[in-house]
Amino acid sequence: MTVRINPSILSADFVNLQRDVERIASADLVHVDVMDNHFVPNLTFGPQMVGRLQAIAPIPLDVHLMISDADRWAPGYAELGAFSVTFHAEAASDVVETARALRERGSRAGLAVKPGTAIEPYLELLPEFDQVLVMTVEPGFSGQSFMAETMPKLRTLRQAVERHGLDVWLQVDGGIALDTIGIAAEAGADTFVAGSAVYGRDSVEAAIAELRSAAEAHSHGTPGRV
Ligand SMILES: O=C(CO)[C@H](O)[C@H](O)COP(=O)(O)O
Ligand SMILES: [Fe+2]
């Protein structure tokens, strides 16, 4: 199974964002956290900044919207050219319509769920999505501790994806570091967001390589895995 490492620029230096985005060129995607101080108690930036990041980033943008009224605002991020746009199930009134609007505009459609949100109601909708994001912390801030109690949700998703032969990426976000990434990989994740575990290191390149090896060692489909 292909492992993807998506550093989160929430842990970057906002005054030197271009420099910090260029430092992670060896990663797969740039994870861009959009927060509105309403859906979550934190505020980052909006479409103007995402448009500039899209113009300068050396790797594609993985936009994670933590904003209310996702149905209304998500399609605009796809129009900026983002590779993927993920919105929260808790913030949308029609997740299928919003996912279709994203795909029509050329982006991968992602559905995110908070730690306390059950995944079962969305399993039959999986073909409408290209990726599902299981939050492994309460959304809002970087540097929080990984919540292992979210792993059963990931196992349920992995089983559903395999059973139906779907190509849906399973992403985790929050508290992913060298000591937790293997737990999420073993539970079925293939796409890993890491903020502080990348930008908190002197060598972000070494951090990305080490996270990738640790995930691959526990990934589904790895030769030798039972
Ligand atoms: O969506 C997020 C927070 O809501 C961020 O992507 C996440 O916090 C990444 O930071 P860290 O890896 O330090 O937990
Ligand atoms: Fe995120």
Side-chain angles (χ1 to χ4, degrees):
M1 184 174 292
T2 307
V3 160
R4 292 167 212 91
I5 305 294
N6 301 358
S8 166
I9 55 168
L10 187 60
S11 298
D13 178 356
F14 276 26
V15 179
N16 292 288
L17 265 189
Q18 181 166 8
R19 179 201 69 188
D20 278 0
V21 167
E22 287 170 352
R23 287 170 75 202
I24 57 164
S26 64
D28 294 278
L29 299 131
V30 192
H31 185 80
V32 179
D33 289 307
V34 175
M35 304 185 185
D36 65 354
N37 209 16
H38 187 263
F39 180 70
V40 289
N42 196 4
L43 182 66
T44 54
F45 39 67
Q48 195 175 354
M49 178 66 91
V50 175
R52 286 296 295 137
L53 289 168
Q54 172 69 23
I56 61 100
I59 52 176
L61 261 52
D62 174 46
V63 174
H64 175 194
L65 298 177
M66 283 161 277
I67 59 173
S68 301
D69 205 358
D71 315 65
R72 178 176 176 191
W73 301 112
Y77 289 88
E79 282 167 11
L80 293 171
F83 179 78
S84 55
V85 177
T86 297
F87 61 93
H88 270 264
E90 306 87 355
S93 37
D94 190 333
V95 298
V96 170
E97 196 180 312
T98 301
R100 289 179 181 171
L102 294 174
R103 283 177 162 180
E104 276 164 20
R105 287 162 177 77
S107 285
R108 291 171 61 85
L111 183 73
V113 285
K114 297 207 274 187
T117 300
I119 200 63
E120 282 73 13
Y122 303 102
L123 292 178
E124 64 184 29
L125 306 179
L126 283 178
E128 300 285 346
F129 292 91
D130 301 294
Q131 51 198 64
V132 176
L133 168 52
V134 172
M135 287 303 298
T136 43
V137 298
E138 287 299 335
F141 300 93
S142 61
Q144 303 182 77
S145 297
F146 176 77
M147 296 170 67
E149 58 268 40
T150 58
M151 293 299 99
K153 203 160 24 181
L154 210 46
R155 288 199 179 85
T156 300
L157 277 163
R158 175 54 62 200
Q159 280 170 8
V161 165
E162 301 294 327
R163 192 181 318 121
H164 300 292
L166 300 170
D167 181 19
V168 178
W169 297 357
L170 300 182
Q171 188 173 41
V172 282
D173 183 6
I176 298 297
L178 280 176
D179 60 343
T180 55
I181 195 166
I183 300 169
E186 193 279 325
D190 54 22
T191 307
F192 304 86
V193 177
S196 39
V198 170
Y199 283 109
R201 292 272 301 274
D202 287 338
S203 171
V204 298
E205 211 163 304
I208 292 163
E210 288 167 23
L211 286 166
R212 194 185 297 285
S213 311
E216 281 171 354
H218 293 85
S219 175
H220 283 228
T222 303
R225 190 179 174 278
V226 183

